[in-house]
Amino acid sequence: MRRLHRSLLLAARSSPLARHRPPPPLPLHRPPPPRPHRPLPFSTAALPTPPPPDAAPTAQPAADALAALEAAERQESSGDHQKALDLALKVLGPLQESRGGWSLPVARALRLAGAAACRLGSLTDSLDSLEAAAEIVGSLQGGGAEAATVGAAVHEQLARTKTAIGRRWDAVASFQRALELKCRFLNAGSAELGDAYRDAAEAYEGVLCFDKALPLCLKALEIAEKRSGEGSAEAAKVRRILVVAYTGMGRNEEALEQNELVRMEYERLGLDAELSLVEIDGASLRILLGRTEDAMNDLKKVMKRASKESEERALAFVAMAKILCSEDRSSDSTRCLEIARETLDAKRSVNTERVAGAYTEISMLYESMNEFEMSLCLMKKTLAFLEGASGMQHIQGSISARMGFLLLLTKRIDESVPFLEKAIEKLKNCFGPLHFGLGFAYKHLGEAYIEMGQPESSLKFFGLASDIINAAFGPKHEDSIEIIQCIANAYGLMGSYL
């Protein structure tokens, strides 16, 4: 049984170590809500029939309802999300009565309710409200700049809610739609449009579609450079996203060039913590390029600059452990990992994804040294650390897939199946139905059913795995051929040889 590709875990992290795989096609599937919830007191099914085009709203009720909506929007701007939600729900009825249900003011109120619900943690309620708003603005296409403005706000918030709820794959189309609408009414060189290009690029990177992210990222960089200059902090922020895109496409030299430009800018600005993180990214790129001595020098600079208990120093030790492990210096690598763990265990980080990524790297290094129990222990710890965290389902899915494989490898079949099933659900939502990691999870689930003496059940999962892996790597790839052998073995166990 071959190991699940390490690139699945690497790809789930927003770092220059993400690997490129052929992206599955967009758009998108829509899974059912993950749990029962209290619905908002509104849906498009309850909307009254749109009024005739020549019908005008009653003046005073319409003015009062709009004033109440604007007051709710001011509450949102001030950060009082509970008050904004209460006011938005309260104004929905009057807006329907005075403006008609299928109108921009109703869509504005629903967007506001959805945004407030998202920030308050009511993600399924947020999704309900925003999908209703999107349906309304979709029916009002051709409504001019105002309709495009409201539509862009709706789709942008819808994308953020989908990301928070674990539906990254669905979120990409919403970010893309928000960008398209903003292009209709924003100045071509505006900061807001640059942000929209950057958001869409990050969304595509989040589902590993690096080739789609690259042109959007280059456009965002062009806008940032024109507005603030090539050496600006704004441009540096975009360049960091560009580094991920180039690395994901295997263009590591270009990624390193962009990383160096960011490093120079952060050094000029005196941003020591950010500088250390960029130098660690640069070291990771040099490792990929085989320049381990240069990478080690970068990491030593970080360790000298960073404080002893800092997160940056811990991350540098993880990267150094990777170099030592590749040189078969297992004891030195293990010592580096122990130092990193001591720091990360003692420090409460504000960046959940960064720390989860570090623990994931550590667990993978222990696995590469055949210390499976330590690797599994750290993966369990990482899953517990991520429990309840918003938008971390992509890492949870990748770790669950890895754990399922290791449990299968160590003959703990009954334990492996729930992790593989959880991984399949999360990976499908985060990366789409044709992601290569999903294919390997299906394959390992099929192998688990073989081990449990259920070859008939295994065939279903081997078939799904074969479709995905063939699409990702081609029918002549070793992984595609291995799945055909798995299918043949299953039929053999069933006594079917035709």
Short mmCIF file of all heavy atoms in Angstrom, two decimals, residues 305-326:
data_model
loop_
_atom_site.label_atom_id
_atom_site.label_comp_id
_atom_site.label_asym_id
_atom_site.label_seq_id
_atom_site.Cartn_x
_atom_site.Cartn_y
_atom_site.Cartn_z
N ARG A 305 17.64 37.11 14.94
CA ARG A 305 16.82 38.31 15.08
C ARG A 305 15.64 38.08 16.04
O ARG A 305 15.30 38.96 16.84
CB ARG A 305 16.28 38.74 13.72
CG ARG A 305 15.40 39.98 13.78
CD ARG A 305 14.68 40.24 12.47
NE ARG A 305 15.55 40.19 11.32
CZ ARG A 305 15.49 39.26 10.38
NH1 ARG A 305 14.59 38.30 10.44
NH2 ARG A 305 16.32 39.28 9.36
N ALA A 306 15.01 36.92 15.94
CA ALA A 306 13.77 36.69 16.67
C ALA A 306 14.04 36.41 18.15
O ALA A 306 15.09 35.90 18.53
CB ALA A 306 13.02 35.51 16.06
N SER A 307 13.08 36.76 19.00
CA SER A 307 13.21 36.48 20.43
C SER A 307 13.09 34.99 20.67
O SER A 307 12.52 34.24 19.86
CB SER A 307 12.13 37.22 21.21
OG SER A 307 10.84 36.76 20.85
N LYS A 308 13.60 34.53 21.80
CA LYS A 308 13.71 33.10 22.08
C LYS A 308 12.36 32.40 22.09
O LYS A 308 12.25 31.25 21.65
CB LYS A 308 14.41 32.91 23.43
CG LYS A 308 14.69 31.45 23.75
CD LYS A 308 15.46 31.32 25.06
CE LYS A 308 15.73 29.85 25.37
NZ LYS A 308 16.49 29.69 26.64
N GLU A 309 11.32 33.07 22.57
CA GLU A 309 10.00 32.44 22.69
C GLU A 309 9.07 32.81 21.54
O GLU A 309 7.87 32.58 21.64
CB GLU A 309 9.36 32.84 24.03
CG GLU A 309 10.19 32.48 25.25
CD GLU A 309 10.48 30.99 25.33
OE1 GLU A 309 9.59 30.19 24.97
OE2 GLU A 309 11.60 30.63 25.75
N SER A 310 9.60 33.36 20.47
CA SER A 310 8.73 33.85 19.39
C SER A 310 8.28 32.73 18.47
O SER A 310 8.95 31.70 18.32
CB SER A 310 9.46 34.92 18.57
OG SER A 310 10.49 34.33 17.80
N GLU A 311 7.14 32.95 17.87
CA GLU A 311 6.59 32.01 16.89
C GLU A 311 7.50 31.88 15.68
O GLU A 311 7.67 30.79 15.13
CB GLU A 311 5.21 32.52 16.47
CG GLU A 311 4.25 31.49 15.98
CD GLU A 311 2.86 32.08 15.82
OE1 GLU A 311 2.12 32.12 16.80
OE2 GLU A 311 2.55 32.54 14.71
N GLU A 312 8.11 33.02 15.27
CA GLU A 312 8.96 33.01 14.09
C GLU A 312 10.17 32.10 14.30
O GLU A 312 10.57 31.36 13.39
CB GLU A 312 9.44 34.43 13.75
CG GLU A 312 8.34 35.39 13.37
CD GLU A 312 7.59 35.93 14.57
OE1 GLU A 312 8.24 36.18 15.61
OE2 GLU A 312 6.36 36.08 14.48
N ARG A 313 10.72 32.14 15.49
CA ARG A 313 11.88 31.28 15.78
C ARG A 313 11.47 29.81 15.75
O ARG A 313 12.22 28.96 15.23
CB ARG A 313 12.47 31.65 17.15
CG ARG A 313 13.81 30.98 17.45
CD ARG A 313 14.44 31.65 18.68
NE ARG A 313 15.75 31.08 18.99
CZ ARG A 313 15.94 30.07 19.84
NH1 ARG A 313 14.90 29.53 20.45
NH2 ARG A 313 17.15 29.61 20.07
N ALA A 314 10.29 29.50 16.27
CA ALA A 314 9.80 28.12 16.23
C ALA A 314 9.62 27.64 14.80
O ALA A 314 10.00 26.51 14.45
CB ALA A 314 8.48 28.03 17.00
N LEU A 315 9.06 28.50 13.95
CA LEU A 315 8.86 28.13 12.55
C LEU A 315 10.20 27.93 11.83
O LEU A 315 10.32 27.06 10.96
CB LEU A 315 8.04 29.20 11.84
CG LEU A 315 6.60 29.39 12.34
CD1 LEU A 315 5.94 30.57 11.64
CD2 LEU A 315 5.78 28.14 12.13
N ALA A 316 11.19 28.72 12.21
CA ALA A 316 12.53 28.55 11.63
C ALA A 316 13.12 27.20 12.01
O ALA A 316 13.77 26.53 11.20
CB ALA A 316 13.44 29.69 12.07
N PHE A 317 12.89 26.77 13.25
CA PHE A 317 13.38 25.46 13.67
C PHE A 317 12.70 24.33 12.90
O PHE A 317 13.33 23.31 12.58
CB PHE A 317 13.17 25.27 15.18
CG PHE A 317 14.33 25.74 16.02
CD1 PHE A 317 14.23 26.85 16.82
CD2 PHE A 317 15.55 25.06 15.98
CE1 PHE A 317 15.30 27.29 17.59
CE2 PHE A 317 16.63 25.48 16.75
CZ PHE A 317 16.51 26.61 17.56
N VAL A 318 11.41 24.50 12.58
CA VAL A 318 10.71 23.49 11.79
C VAL A 318 11.35 23.38 10.40
O VAL A 318 11.61 22.28 9.90
CB VAL A 318 9.22 23.82 11.66
CG1 VAL A 318 8.52 22.82 10.73
CG2 VAL A 318 8.54 23.80 13.03
N ALA A 319 11.61 24.53 9.78
CA ALA A 319 12.24 24.52 8.46
C ALA A 319 13.65 23.93 8.51
O ALA A 319 14.08 23.19 7.62
CB ALA A 319 12.27 25.94 7.88
N MET A 320 14.38 24.24 9.59
CA MET A 320 15.73 23.67 9.74
C MET A 320 15.66 22.16 9.92
O MET A 320 16.49 21.41 9.37
CB MET A 320 16.43 24.32 10.94
CG MET A 320 17.89 23.92 11.08
SD MET A 320 18.75 24.86 12.37
CE MET A 320 18.93 26.45 11.55
N ALA A 321 14.65 21.68 10.65
CA ALA A 321 14.48 20.24 10.83
C ALA A 321 14.25 19.55 9.50
O ALA A 321 14.71 18.42 9.28
CB ALA A 321 13.30 19.98 11.77
N LYS A 322 13.57 20.23 8.60
CA LYS A 322 13.31 19.67 7.28
C LYS A 322 14.63 19.45 6.53
O LYS A 322 14.83 18.41 5.88
CB LYS A 322 12.40 20.61 6.50
CG LYS A 322 11.82 20.03 5.23
CD LYS A 322 10.96 21.06 4.51
CE LYS A 322 9.91 21.63 5.43
NZ LYS A 322 9.11 22.67 4.76
N ILE A 323 15.52 20.43 6.59
CA ILE A 323 16.82 20.30 5.93
C ILE A 323 17.61 19.16 6.54
O ILE A 323 18.17 18.31 5.84
CB ILE A 323 17.61 21.63 6.05
CG1 ILE A 323 16.88 22.75 5.30
CG2 ILE A 323 19.02 21.45 5.50
CD1 ILE A 323 17.49 24.12 5.52
N LEU A 324 17.66 19.11 7.88
CA LEU A 324 18.43 18.06 8.56
C LEU A 324 17.86 16.68 8.27
O LEU A 324 18.62 15.71 8.11
CB LEU A 324 18.44 18.35 10.07
CG LEU A 324 19.15 19.64 10.49
CD1 LEU A 324 18.87 19.96 11.94
CD2 LEU A 324 20.65 19.53 10.23
N CYS A 325 16.56 16.58 8.19
CA CYS A 325 15.92 15.30 7.88
C CYS A 325 16.31 14.84 6.48
O CYS A 325 16.57 13.65 6.26
CB CYS A 325 14.40 15.43 8.01
SG CYS A 325 13.50 13.88 7.81
N SER A 326 16.36 15.78 5.53
CA SER A 326 16.73 15.42 4.16
C SER A 326 18.18 14.97 4.06
O SER A 326 18.58 14.29 3.12
CB SER A 326 16.51 16.62 3.22
OG SER A 326 17.45 17.65 3.47
#
